[in-house]
Amino acid sequence: MTGKEDQVRRMLDGPHPPVPPGLALRAAARGARIARRRRVTRMGVVLTLAVAVTVLLVWLAVADPWAAPPSVVAPPPRLF
């Protein structure tokens, strides 16, 4: 082993620092907040997509954009 590995092993084998009280509760609360934020964001994206699809479908039904525009025919010219 190299000197660096020995140094790391000695550090890991030594006494471990004490864990702050309440660390697990704070970590669980933070995880719950992150999960809730992701859930709300996901619901917002799904809702936005649903509204966009609904608006598109209504526009397609009302505007009929695939139909050819009506042809405009000029009236015959008047000679006198």
Side-chain angles (χ1 to χ4, degrees):
M1 281 189 237
T2 64
K4 194 77 154 170
E5 289 178 7
D6 289 335
Q7 185 180 7
V8 170
R9 286 188 191 278
R10 279 194 307 270
M11 286 174 52
L12 291 176
D13 287 340
H16 299 291
V19 176
L23 179 65
L25 293 175
R26 288 192 318 236
R30 183 169 187 252
R33 280 194 309 271
I34 290 172
R36 188 171 36 254
R37 194 173 297 136
R38 285 180 181 167
R39 191 170 37 251
V40 167
T41 302
R42 192 177 312 121
M43 288 301 292
V45 168
V46 168
L47 182 63
T48 302
L49 287 175
V51 168
V53 167
T54 303
V55 168
L56 177 67
L57 291 176
V58 168
W59 175 74
L60 287 173
V62 172
D64 199 19
W66 55 85
S71 61
V72 178
V73 179
R78 290 178 25 169
L79 295 177
F80 287 102

